[in-house]
Amino acid sequence: MSSSYSNYTNSPCAACKFLRRRCTSDCVFAPYFPPEEPTKFANVHRIFGASNVSKILHEVAPHQREDAVNSLAYEAEARLKDPVYGCVGAISVLQRQVLKLQRELEETNADLMRYASCLGGETTSAYGGRRG
Amino acid sequence: MSSSYSNYTNSPCAACKFLRRRCTSDCVFAPYFPPEEPTKFANVHRIFGASNVSKILHEVAPHQREDAVNSLAYEAEARLKDPVYGCVGAISVLQRQVLKLQRELEETNADLMRYASCLGGETTSAYGGRRG
């Protein structure tokens, strides 16, 4: 158990393993690319390159690095699945969905207004008729 | 005029100018990175690296390369504006907008159903009352 723990902590991170370099205690990749997730680094390396990922990590505050890595991993995976549009394809789909929902909501609101005025008119006419 | 045209056609593309290399007639970047848009290449180079952009361009069919370059340029600009979330930030905003609209649409549809059953009830009751 202690041997397995020791092996785990001594393992280079997925980035250093991929780049075949020594993983030091100040490795900028290690906290975000654990050895058990080799694909995560392979993907961002393939799309952005290790040097650009490292630059981005140094640009952002330490508490934001996990989010930065996860968004880079998401973009990289999307680009590998769809080399033409990448995650911009998802943006287009969502933009169309927003437009469709806005149109549906406008139509439903217009129906609601018609029903409301119709209900008002029906009531007035019925009672008005009786009263007249 | 002819001199300016000749200068324009002989200009290296924005990528070759940036990379300080000779722009040949088979340059993969030239059709998508015209010399008058230097920022477009500078951005994708800074985020993806010239070599990765070239790899992606070679992976996709020629008729899809313009879309690929434009989506890469969009992603690069988004990442430069927001190094933590890049265009994944836009995806999160759009996903929240879709959920909000879906909720609003459900509520409006429920209101519509209530009005419809109310209108039906009112009519039946009014005429039923008169007939009874």
Side-chain angles (χ1 to χ4, degrees), chain A residues 9-22:
Chain A
T9 52
N10 287 335
S11 284
C13 75
C16 290
K17 203 170 175 183
F18 187 97
L19 302 168
R20 294 165 189 271
R21 61 178 206 179
R22 216 177 134 243

Side-chain angles (χ1 to χ4, degrees), chain A:
Chain A
M1 182 72 185
S2 79
S3 149
S4 131
Y5 177 72
S6 153
N7 279 345
Y8 173 76
T9 52
N10 287 335
S11 284
C13 75
C16 290
K17 203 170 175 183
F18 187 97
L19 302 168
R20 294 165 189 271
R21 61 178 206 179
R22 216 177 134 243
C23 192
T24 55
S25 59
D26 61 346
C27 169
V28 74
F29 297 123
Y32 319 107
F33 295 104
E36 64 273 23
E37 288 183 65
T39 317
K40 191 178 177 185
F41 184 78
N43 288 353
V44 298
H45 178 263
R46 205 164 142 200
I47 298 301
F48 298 99
S51 151
N52 286 337
V53 174
S54 163
K55 264 188 233 157
I56 291 170
L57 284 179
H58 280 108
E59 257 175 52
V60 307
H63 73 279
Q64 292 189 301
R65 287 182 186 161
E66 192 165 357
D67 281 353
V69 164
N70 289 338
S71 71
L72 287 167
Y74 180 91
E75 274 188 61
E77 208 184 324
R79 180 64 61 179
L80 288 166
K81 278 186 192 155
D82 178 354
V84 180
Y85 297 102
C87 76
V88 180
I91 292 180
S92 303
V93 168
L94 283 164
Q95 280 173 336
R96 279 197 297 273
Q97 205 180 344
V98 164
L99 285 175
K100 187 174 167 274
L101 283 165
Q102 281 172 335
R103 223 168 18 235
E104 274 179 41
L105 189 61
E106 267 171 34
E107 284 168 10
T108 312
N109 271 323
D111 284 347
L112 197 60
M113 293 297 283
R114 268 194 295 277
Y115 262 97
S117 68
C118 181
L119 185 61
E122 195 74 44
T123 312
T124 310
S125 147
Y127 288 105
R130 266 185 244 163
R131 275 172 200 158

Side-chain angles (χ1 to χ4, degrees), chain B residues 49-90:
Chain B
S51 152
N52 285 338
V53 174
S54 163
K55 264 189 234 159
I56 291 170
L57 284 180
H58 281 108
E59 258 175 53
V60 306
H63 72 278
Q64 292 189 301
R65 286 183 187 161
E66 190 164 359
D67 281 354
V69 164
N70 289 338
S71 71
L72 288 167
Y74 181 92
E75 274 189 60
E77 207 183 326
R79 180 64 61 180
L80 288 167
K81 278 186 193 155
D82 179 354
V84 180
Y85 297 102
C87 76
V88 180

